[in-house]
Amino acid sequence: MPVGIGAFALTPLLLAESRDARAESFDLPGAALVTGGLVVLVYALTQASDYGWVSTETIGFFAASAALLGAFVAWEARTRDPLMPFSIFRLRTLVGANVAGVVLGTVVFSMFLMLTLYMQQVLHYSRLKTGVAYLAVAGTAIVWSAVAKLVTRVGVKPVLVAGMAFLTAGLAYFTQVSVGGSYLGDLLPGFLLIAIGMGFSFVPISIAALAGVEPSEAGLASGLINTSQQIGGARDRRAVGDRHIDDGRGDRGRQRASVRAHRRLPGRVRRRSRHGARRRASRARHRASPRSRATDRRGAAARARGRIA
C-alpha cells in the first residue's frame, strides 16, 4: 500500500497528460458496453463450474456478454470518436502479441495458483513462507527482463520463442513435484526456469503490442495487452479447478447442481431415490454402531474356526 500511495502522489508530477487531440468527445456508451461485456464474461468464466457449464445461468451470462460486446462492436463502427478504432487491428504484431498475452496469462496465473495450493496444503507452508518462496521468481525475473531488452537488436520472435521454451521447461519440471517434496529440490529449479521464461516473454510481448502504434493510440494498445492477459488469468481459474479452495464454493455448486438434477426427475423416480438413500443411510448407521461391529467380529471369528476345523 505505501508503494501505491507514493505512485499515486508522484504520477501527476512525473507523467505528462496524453490524449488524442483529434477527438471531440468521450465515447461513454462504448466504454460502458465494453466494460459491462467483459465483466459479465469474466463472471461467467469464474462461476461456470459452480452453476454448470451447460446450465441456464451460465448460458445466459455468456449470451449477455456476447450481446454487450456485439453492441460495442456495432457502436464503435458508426460513432465519430470511437473508444477503440478497429483499424488498430491491422497491425499483425499487435494481434499476435495479444494472442500470446492470453496464452501467457493463462499459463502464469494458473501456475501461481496451483503452486500456492501445493505449498500451503501439501508442504504446509504458512502464507508468509509461501510469499517468501516466490521471491526466487520475482527477483530473478527482474534481472532476466533487463537481459531481454536485447529484443531491440535480435527481434521479437527469437526472444519470445526462448521465453516460451523456458516457461514450458519450468512447467514440465513442476509436473514432477512430490507429496514429500522440498523447496530446494521440487520448487527452486522450476522457479528459476520460470523466471527466465517470464522475463523473456513479457518484455517482447509488451514491445510487440506497442510496435507501430500511433502515439495517440499507445494507451489503447497498452490497455488491450493488459486486458488480454487478465482474460487469460480469468480462464485459468476454472481450468485448474479453484472451486476446491478452502471457501467450499465448489461443494455448494455441486450440491446445487445435484438438487436441480433431482428436481427434474419424475415423481416416482424421486420417491425411489429418497427411499434408496434412506436404506443406504440406515445400513451405514448399522455398520457404524458398536453392537454391529461386535457382531461382525464374532461372525468373522466363527467363520475362521469353521475353516480351520
Side-chain angles (χ1 to χ4, degrees):
M1 182 177 291
V3 176
I5 294 174
F8 182 78
L10 293 175
T11 295
L13 302 177
L14 300 178
L15 297 180
E17 181 64 37
S18 175
R19 65 178 63 186
D20 187 356
R22 297 170 297 177
E24 299 178 0
S25 62
F26 179 70
D27 186 12
L28 183 59
L33 288 170
V34 70
T35 301
L38 292 177
V39 167
V40 176
L41 175 61
V42 171
Y43 183 82
L45 289 171
T46 56
Q47 300 299 317
S49 292
D50 289 348
Y51 290 120
W53 282 97
V54 294
S55 66
T56 304
E57 293 89 343
T58 300
I59 295 174
F61 284 126
F62 279 120
S65 173
L68 288 170
L69 293 176
F72 169 72
V73 172
W75 173 262
E76 295 299 288
R78 66 184 184 86
T79 189
R80 177 180 299 179
D81 296 314
L83 178 68
M84 188 174 70
F86 295 124
S87 59
I88 196 172
F89 293 109
R90 295 173 183 170
L91 297 172
R92 295 177 59 185
T93 54
L94 181 142
V95 175
N98 279 271
V99 173
V102 173
V103 175
L104 189 61
T106 302
V107 170
V108 171
F109 282 99
S110 61
M111 177 200 69
F112 282 123
L113 174 60
M114 291 304 296
L115 289 180
T116 299
L117 293 177
Y118 172 72
M119 286 189 280
Q120 292 187 353
Q121 298 186 6
V122 178
L123 300 184
H124 304 292
Y125 284 11
S126 66
R127 295 178 181 178
L128 178 60
K129 189 175 181 179
T130 301
V132 173
Y134 279 127
L135 290 177
V137 181
T140 52
I142 295 174
V143 176
W144 288 111
S145 295
V147 176
K149 290 182 179 178
L150 58 86
V151 68
T152 56
R153 296 183 179 180
V154 301
V156 170
K157 289 183 180 180
V159 180
L160 182 57
V161 169
M164 291 296 186
F166 276 105
L167 278 176
T168 303
L171 293 173
Y173 185 87
F174 284 135
T175 61
Q176 306 302 313
V177 294
S178 59
V179 175
S182 64
Y183 182 77
L184 292 178
D186 291 75
L187 293 175
L188 183 59
F191 281 159
L192 296 179
L193 290 172
I194 292 295
I196 300 174
M198 289 175 61
F200 277 34
S201 297
F202 279 106
V203 171
I205 285 177
S206 300
I207 292 175
L210 295 172
V213 176
E214 296 292 334
S216 60
E217 296 180 342
L220 171 61
S222 178
L224 282 173
I225 188 62
N226 280 282
T227 301
S228 300
Q229 293 172 359
Q230 294 300 322
I231 292 296
R235 287 180 63 250
D236 83 85
R237 298 185 67 227
R238 293 295 95 182
V240 300
D242 70 328
R243 60 188 180 279
H244 299 296
I245 300 179
D246 294 342
D247 59 6
R249 289 178 298 167
D251 293 336
R252 292 196 297 271
R254 287 189 291 273
Q255 291 170 2
R256 288 197 298 267
S258 177
V259 170
R260 286 195 297 267
H262 188 267
R263 287 174 178 172
R264 297 191 192 104
L265 296 174
R268 182 173 55 186
V269 178
R270 286 202 302 269
R271 287 193 294 270
R272 290 179 180 175
S273 177
R274 287 195 295 268
H275 182 63
R278 285 195 294 268
R279 284 191 299 177
R280 288 192 295 272
S282 177
R283 287 198 296 268
R285 288 194 298 270
H286 175 72
R287 287 194 297 268
S289 64
R291 180 178 299 178
S292 175
R293 290 196 296 269
T295 302
D296 292 341
R297 285 195 295 270
R298 287 195 296 271
R303 289 192 295 272
R305 286 195 298 272
R307 286 194 296 270
I308 293 173

